[in-house]
């Protein structure tokens, strides 16, 4: 199948499929005229990539873990023993980002709470427009 068909089957934009190829996540063959040719397994691979992106992993990490994942239909299952350490490391990184964002939100809440009543009223009134 060509890139347009893969895009339709996966609901992923063509430019993103090209980006995934640039990142080493997809490996299409080149047909006559240089057109990308994808195999029938490619839509499942794209769905795995999208799942891993949604989980917060970057494309460089995905290129490492993708070969070690099997799709059971309802979840991705690690198949390489050394993959779990990498996934735990990524989870710890994401947890730290969440913690940092929570601290930022709390600091912003403190600033908002310190606003005088008249400033708060005016701000709320402007939101009701």
């Amino acid at each position: 199948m060509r890139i347009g068909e893969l895009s339709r089957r996966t609901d992923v934009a063509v430019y993103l499929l090209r980006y995934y190829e640039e990142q080493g996540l997809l490996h299409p063959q080149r047909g006559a005229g240089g057109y990308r040719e994808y195999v029938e397994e490619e839509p499942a691979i794209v769905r795995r990539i999208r799942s891993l992106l949604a989980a917060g992993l970057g494309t460089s990490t995905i290129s490492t873990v993708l070969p070690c994942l099997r799709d059971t239909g309802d979840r991705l299952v690690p198949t390489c023993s050394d993959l779990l350490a990498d996934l735990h490391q990524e989870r710890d990184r994401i947890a730290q980002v969440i913690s940092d964002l929570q601290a930022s939100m709390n600091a912003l809440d403190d600033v908002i709470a310190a606003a005088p009543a008249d400033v708060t009223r005016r701000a709320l009134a402007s939101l009701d427009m």
Side-chain angles (χ1 to χ4, degrees), residues 63-117:
S63 69
T64 303
V65 303
L66 194 59
C68 290
L69 291 173
R70 180 174 47 87
D71 191 345
T72 65
D74 63 335
R75 67 173 48 167
L76 297 176
V77 177
T79 59
C80 304
S81 58
D82 58 337
L83 175 62
L84 286 179
D86 293 339
L87 293 176
H88 279 286
Q89 201 170 38
E90 281 300 309
R91 188 184 184 291
D92 292 345
R93 180 191 64 78
I94 292 168
Q96 184 60 53
V97 169
I98 291 169
S99 177
D100 293 346
L101 287 170
Q102 187 66 51
S104 296
M105 189 170 70
N106 291 342
L108 188 55
D109 286 345
D110 289 345
V111 170
I112 292 168

Side-chain angles (χ1 to χ4, degrees), residues 19-98:
Y19 175 74
Y20 298 160
E21 180 184 356
E22 289 171 15
Q23 299 302 305
L25 303 176
L26 294 176
H27 307 283
Q29 300 297 312
R30 293 292 178 153
Y35 291 108
R36 292 169 176 85
E37 295 287 338
Y38 296 93
V39 296
E40 285 302 313
E41 292 79 21
E42 223 80 34
I45 294 169
V46 171
R47 283 190 289 278
R48 277 184 238 144
I49 292 167
R50 301 295 290 176
S51 293
L52 294 168
L53 287 167
L57 275 62
T59 55
S60 62
T61 301
I62 293 172
S63 69
T64 303
V65 303
L66 194 59
C68 290
L69 291 173
R70 180 174 47 87
D71 191 345
T72 65
D74 63 335
R75 67 173 48 167
L76 297 176
V77 177
T79 59
C80 304
S81 58
D82 58 337
L83 175 62
L84 286 179
D86 293 339
L87 293 176
H88 279 286
Q89 201 170 38
E90 281 300 309
R91 188 184 184 291
D92 292 345
R93 180 191 64 78
I94 292 168
Q96 184 60 53
V97 169
I98 291 169

